[in-house]
Amino acid sequence: MTTMDKPARPIRAGEAPSGTDRESTGWRTAIASLLGLTVGPSVLTVMSFGAFIAPLHREFGWGVSDIGLAASLLSVTVMIISPVQGYLVDRYGGRRLILMSSPVFGLSLMAMYFLPGNLSVFYLAWALIPVCGLGLWPVSYLRLTAGWFERKLGFALGVANSGIGVGTVLVPVLTAWLIGAFGWRAAFVGLGAVALLAFPVAFFFITEPTPRKTDVQTGGDTLKISARRRPFWLILGAFLLLGLVGSSITVYQIPLLLDAGVPEGIANLVPVALGLALIVARVATGWLLDRFSASVVMSFNLAGGLVSVLLFAAGPNVVTGLIAAALAGLLIGSEFDVLSYLVPRHFGRAAYGKIYGIAFSAFQVGGAVASSAVSASRDSYGSYTPAMLTLAVVCVICAGLFMCLGPYRYDAVHG
């Protein structure tokens, strides 16, 4: 039997393929990453948190602002651990971290079933839960996906990233149903069980990429060298500002609508428009990144964000509120597609996880500032309008930072 006559050996889970199997394995990893991000901590902690505020207030008598402080602790913890995750992903690989973190994260959510009426314990729990999900934050999946692609890098990252959009639409609905049907304690158990799905998805369908001889998958600048270059600081500044805009709209879109006189039942449905737009933006932005400069793509989306905050500043009705939410979803949905694309294009892949983790931390800093600044604006002026007008200026400055990035240093033609 000649070499050509030999049957192909199946690829085992986690084993790197070669030849024509490479692209199919890359897409399998991208789709598995989509599923993993759908049930990851970016969704299960952030998008479900609001649904637990009223039940916890009723049972323990804690103030809404006291409960909300835990969300800030969550953001601060993510800010701290993101560079750590990036370092570990670069050193040990994303698949290993996902497999180790999935059961721990799922069990940490289930442990909330036993939450006592002690606010300090509640705060401690929300500081520990993101640590338990250390390997499940987006950079693990995005580095895995990026390692398989060059010319279709943007689209592949968009497919993987769309998992957060899918989760943004589904998880709040699931959480509300679980709380209504079984109570808030059982809801945490249900969300923990959902989180465990990341383990079989990663084990059977995600493969750690290895470079071909003609690839530059492990090449590129070190973190130290990257930090000496202007694009590094422009990207950090841009994502700090994006954290301000995105978090402000995500957290305060319903209060903005209620202040404008939109009925509560309708206002609570408007975020669905944001979530659906976010899904579209994940995939569409990825497709566009393979064809146009990331600076142009992001500036276009920031123009939409500018219109969104101006509509919110004007006091939206149902129609303009839906338009504003959809435009905001297009911006928020594009943020991490662009980040995960910019890192390998400007710095290569050698320090992908570290650079992404630092930029993600900058984004979280912006989000933490937004949570307090927007509410302070409302308390001081009796309106969200000054904060929204400030965010309009932020959108313009952010677009300027992206336009200053300059050409890529590691384009697809080099791979």
Side-chain angles (χ1 to χ4, degrees):
M1 179 181 290
T2 66
T3 302
M4 294 296 293
D5 294 329
K6 291 181 181 179
R9 180 176 61 82
I11 300 171
R12 301 184 181 91
E15 178 185 350
S18 58
T20 57
D21 293 321
R22 187 175 182 88
E23 184 173 351
S24 63
T25 303
W27 285 114
R28 186 181 70 184
T29 296
I31 294 170
S33 296
L34 181 160
L35 297 174
L37 287 172
T38 301
V39 298
S42 297
V43 173
L44 292 180
T45 59
V46 177
M47 299 311 301
S48 69
F49 187 90
F52 289 99
I53 293 177
L56 292 172
H57 172 69
R58 286 194 296 267
E59 178 151 343
F60 299 127
W62 298 337
V64 173
S65 60
D66 293 331
I67 298 170
L69 180 59
S72 296
L73 290 174
L74 172 66
S75 294
V76 171
T77 304
V78 175
M79 176 186 72
I80 294 170
I81 67 173
S82 292
V84 177
Q85 182 197 9
Y87 169 81
L88 294 173
V89 167
D90 285 339
R91 185 172 179 84
Y92 300 108
R95 184 174 182 270
R96 185 181 301 179
L97 285 181
I98 293 168
L99 294 175
M100 292 174 62
S101 298
S102 176
V104 180
F105 174 62
L107 291 173
S108 73
L109 288 176
M110 292 180 179
M112 293 294 283
Y113 179 90
F114 302 103
L115 180 70
N118 186 315
L119 200 54
S120 297
V121 174
F122 181 65
Y123 292 152
L124 178 63
W126 281 104
L128 291 177
I129 286 172
V131 177
C132 292
L134 176 66
L136 303 175
W137 296 93
V139 65
S140 295
Y141 293 102
L142 298 179
R143 196 188 198 289
L144 284 162
T145 300
W148 291 109
F149 295 93
E150 270 296 333
R151 297 188 182 279
K152 297 180 181 178
L153 176 63
F155 185 59
L157 290 170
V159 169
N161 255 325
S162 66
I164 296 177
V166 174
T168 297
V169 173
L170 297 180
V171 167
V173 177
L174 172 63
T175 305
W177 177 77
L178 287 171
I179 292 173
F182 305 105
W184 67 267
R185 293 184 185 274
F188 274 117
V189 176
L191 293 177
V194 169
L196 294 175
L197 295 174
F199 186 91
V201 168
F203 186 83
F204 290 109
F205 300 110
I206 285 181
T207 304
E208 193 77 47
T210 56
R212 297 168 293 188
K213 291 181 179 179
T214 57
D215 282 340
V216 290
Q217 305 288 13
T218 57
D221 302 331
T222 64
L223 176 60
K224 185 176 181 180
I225 293 174
S226 299
R228 294 173 181 168
R229 297 183 53 240
R230 186 179 68 168
F232 180 87
W233 297 103
L234 289 173
I235 289 171
L236 260 59
F239 278 86
L240 174 68
L241 298 181
L242 285 172
L244 284 169
V245 177
S247 298
S248 296
I249 296 173
T250 302
V251 173
Y252 291 101
Q253 58 183 315
I254 293 177
L256 277 159
L257 294 167
L258 295 175
D259 264 20
V262 176
E264 183 176 358
I266 297 175
N268 288 333
L269 295 176
V270 169
V272 175
L274 185 147
L276 292 174
L278 194 151
I279 296 173
V280 173
R282 296 289 191 197
V283 179
T285 298
W287 184 85
L288 289 169
L289 287 171
D290 289 328
R291 290 157 177 81
F292 303 98
S293 163
S295 298
V296 172
V297 173
M298 204 61 199
S299 296
F300 178 81
N301 289 330
L302 279 161
L306 173 63
V307 174
S308 175
V309 295
L310 289 176
L311 287 173
F312 278 129
N317 55 36
V318 174
V319 175
T320 58
L322 286 170
I323 294 172
L327 289 172
L330 293 175
L331 172 61
I332 296 168
S334 66
E335 292 164 346
F336 295 113
D337 277 14
V338 170
L339 176 58
S340 52
Y341 189 88
L342 284 175
V343 173
R345 288 294 182 245
H346 277 285
F347 311 108
R349 290 172 166 82
Y352 184 108
K354 299 182 189 73
I355 298 170
Y356 186 103
I358 292 171
F360 192 75
S361 287
F363 182 90
Q364 294 297 325
V365 171
V369 171
S371 298
S372 57
V374 175
S375 61
S377 172
R378 173 67 171 80
D379 292 341
S380 298
Y381 300 101
S383 168
Y384 290 104
T385 298
M388 293 299 106
L389 292 176
T390 301
L391 291 178
V393 176
V394 169
C395 286
V396 175
I397 296 172
C398 191
L401 293 178
F402 278 108
M403 294 306 294
C404 290
L405 280 174
Y408 304 140
R409 292 181 68 238
Y410 294 87
D411 211 343
V413 295
H414 298 302

